Amino acid sequence: VLAAFGRLYQDAEPIDFAGDFLYRTYRLLALPARDLEKLVGLAFRLSAANLLFTSDVVANTGVLVPAGTRLTATSSLTEFYVRARDRGFEDYFEFLYAPFLAAAQPGLTPAQMIADADLGAIQAWLVTASHVGVITSEDDFILRSQDLDFLERVFAGRATIFPTGGHCGNYRQLDVALRIRGFFDAEALDP
Amino acid sequence: MSAGPGPLLALVLAALLLAACAHRPEDQGAAALMAEDPSLPPETASLLVMPDPLERFNRAVYRFNFEFDHYLFLPVVDTYRLVVPAPLRSGVRNFFNNLQEITNATNGILQARAEVATRAVVRFLVNSTAGVLGLFDVATRMGVERQVEDFGQSLGWWRTPAGPYLVLPILGPSSLRDAGGIAVDFAASLYLPPGSEIYDIIYDHPAVVGLFAIDRRDSIPFRYFATDSPFEYEIVRFLSLQRREFQIAQ
């Protein structure tokens, strides 16, 4: 994988992050789905590391970076990267997000926070909100089958669920775009 | 920048390089986050982690480069792109690329690679004549592809280690070996024929040197802090050193 990656990368100008690099990488490497999943997972892991580290520093919580540490433009961040990398989003929630929210609203439990963030919390309103529609795909990896059931039930008549498209992967397809426009056109006629 | 593909791509690139390192120790509470994880052997610690003895200096220069880019270089490049039509810009790009063929040829010879050196010479001759002083890249259209070879690559070809990572002012990520290579290539173009003759004619004019600088920056899509990651320095360090290894092997 690394050799093929190198073949692609050698022609790029110094750190060519721009353009359709991911797609070209994917095409060139002809990765099996399994490796691609790993790749996407790792990209998210680095995202989580960014989130963990940044939140920790901004809120000065001392979870990753000892409280009171002064970081400047010349401070090495590599050791914090290593610490953050081996954590994940769940650690961000447990050690940074939940304590932060609990400090603002004493008595709020992590379980309650998760429930509050669920669409189920505003279900009663959603049922009546005719100007809110849903467009998604059956194979969107962030949705479980009970989530799809929920969407179809609560947004009865206002949910379009395509069989494929992944997570927002079909927005540039014509029929998807037309469906979205159609919803707003109908909405404009009948406010 | 958060909406574009750039950040995600950066993440994916980095992730690609981390492939072997996925590892999640059991949670042991906040205190455990503070401690170095003893269950991680040093070699599985990330590929993004590497010796960087000049890190403090490098990070200061990295910061300087961002500011130089932000307040001077990029505004000038953007103006250049706005004012000069694309065909003219591509002529400028081809012109300077063509002059670089002399360096490519010299280093092809230094690496004892006849094919690489020949290609550079052929490209220079074809583009300087049929390509009207290098303004048009006729050679590429004929199937003779450009291959950049510099003295840093020649040293690397003969197994000279890269040495410490070094961020050069304005020029950006490099290494001790490659920085020396840049100096040698520059000196050669100043004092050795045919580069020196061309240098006397062309680069003697400050405007041409300025145009050269603008064109080179214009050719690099990289933008500082576009990765949206606080660990951009580490990502850039790893990718730029990797890239040099690939160039040398090519």
Side-chain angles (χ1 to χ4, degrees):
Chain A
V1 168
L2 264 182
F5 172 67
R7 214 167 353 111
L8 182 81
Y9 193 65
Q10 66 202 359
D11 295 328
E13 291 297 342
I15 329 296
D16 182 0
F17 286 146
D20 52 357
F21 201 87
L22 172 62
Y23 183 66
R24 284 193 288 137
T25 305
Y26 169 63
R27 289 291 298 271
L28 183 99
L29 298 182
L31 289 175
R34 194 67 226 153
D35 282 354
L36 199 63
E37 282 170 20
K38 224 184 285 176
L39 204 65
V40 171
L42 283 158
F44 275 91
R45 182 168 286 271
L46 187 58
S47 274
N50 293 342
L51 196 62
L52 264 159
F53 174 78
T54 313
S55 312
D56 180 40
V57 171
V58 169
N60 195 24
T61 48
V63 170
L64 286 176
V65 182
T69 305
R70 222 178 87 75
L71 295 174
T72 69
T74 59
S75 307
S76 176
L77 305 183
T78 310
E79 62 163 313
F80 303 124
Y81 163 72
V82 172
R83 288 180 199 177
R85 182 207 61 205
D86 294 324
R87 303 290 143 183
F89 185 76
E90 285 171 19
D91 289 312
Y92 166 75
F93 180 82
E94 184 178 348
F95 298 113
L96 288 158
Y97 184 83
F100 177 80
L101 223 59
Q105 290 170 264
L108 191 60
T109 64
Q112 189 58 43
M113 290 174 200
I114 293 171
D116 287 350
D118 194 283
L119 282 182
I122 52 168
Q123 180 175 349
W125 176 76
L126 289 174
V127 168
T128 61
S130 63
H131 62 295
V132 181
V134 164
I135 195 149
T136 186
S137 315
E138 263 174 52
D139 60 353
D140 186 332
F141 70 95
I142 70 166
L143 297 174
R144 299 162 300 177
S145 67
Q146 63 259 46
D147 297 325
L148 286 166
D149 293 344
F150 172 88
L151 293 174
E152 278 181 324
R153 184 159 44 80
V154 172
F155 294 91
R158 288 175 287 138
T160 304
I161 299 170
F162 288 96
T164 57
H167 182 68
C168 312
N170 55 0
Y171 283 5
R172 299 181 73 170
Q173 299 289 320
L174 185 62
D175 46 346
V176 177
L178 286 177
R179 186 61 69 94
I180 294 172
R181 241 198 79 172
F183 177 80
F184 288 111
D185 284 348
E187 172 63 19
L189 289 174
D190 181 24
Chain B
M1 292 303 301
S2 58
L8 178 66
L9 294 185
L11 301 182
V12 167
L13 291 185
L16 223 133
L17 313 163
L18 300 174
C21 309
H23 178 88
R24 194 173 192 281
E26 292 306 306
D27 289 338
Q28 290 150 350
L33 287 177
M34 298 286 296
E36 287 293 334
D37 186 345
S39 66
L40 275 180
E43 65 271 20
T44 61
S46 169
L47 288 167
L48 286 193
V49 182
M50 60 184 70
D52 187 356
L54 306 172
E55 183 165 3
R56 215 158 244 288
F57 170 82
N58 285 340
R59 284 188 183 265
V61 177
Y62 193 91
R63 176 79 190 186
F64 167 80
N65 285 349
F66 157 69
E67 280 167 3
F68 183 81
D69 230 28
H70 187 70
Y71 293 108
L72 184 70
F73 220 178
L74 288 182
V76 171
V77 167
D78 290 342
T79 310
Y80 170 72
R81 293 184 65 85
L82 197 69
V83 172
V84 182
L88 217 58
R89 276 186 273 126
S90 112
V92 170
R93 173 85 37 94
N94 291 336
F95 179 78
F96 289 120
N97 282 349
N98 188 46
L99 293 183
Q100 203 176 34
E101 296 294 354
I102 299 167
T103 305
N104 297 343
T106 311
N107 285 292
I109 294 166
L110 288 175
Q111 294 171 34
R113 295 163 79 190
E115 193 270 333
V116 172
T118 309
R119 198 137 42 100
V121 170
V122 167
R123 283 180 54 83
F124 183 71
L125 293 177
V126 169
N127 283 344
S128 299
T129 54
V132 195
L133 296 175
L135 291 177
F136 301 94
D137 186 0
V138 185
T140 296
R141 263 173 270 164
M142 287 166 48
V144 188
E145 297 275 336
R146 172 166 175 258
Q147 179 165 344
V148 175
E149 295 292 342
D150 56 44
F151 194 64
Q153 288 178 64
S154 294
L155 290 174
W157 180 258
W158 300 112
R159 302 267 177 274
T160 310
Y165 179 61
L166 182 63
V167 181
L168 296 172
I170 302 169
L171 298 176
S174 188
S175 65
L176 204 56
R177 175 195 67 202
D178 295 338
I182 291 170
V184 169
D185 284 328
F186 183 63
S189 68
L190 274 180
Y191 300 114
L192 294 180
S196 55
E197 280 78 2
I198 292 167
Y199 195 97
D200 287 344
I201 301 166
I202 310 237
Y203 289 102
D204 217 15
H205 308 284
V208 178
V209 177
L211 191 59
F212 176 69
I214 293 167
D215 171 65
R216 292 299 104 168
R217 184 64 188 93
D218 186 27
S219 73
I220 301 169
F222 177 73
R223 296 292 179 267
Y224 285 93
F225 305 124
T227 55
D228 275 358
S229 171
F231 307 114
E232 178 173 297
Y233 174 88
E234 281 83 359
I235 295 169
V236 168
R237 177 176 63 192
F238 179 72
L239 290 179
S240 56
L241 292 176
Q242 274 309 100
R243 177 172 172 273
R244 285 299 279 175
E245 294 308 310
F246 294 133
Q247 284 178 336
I248 288 164
Q250 190 195 16

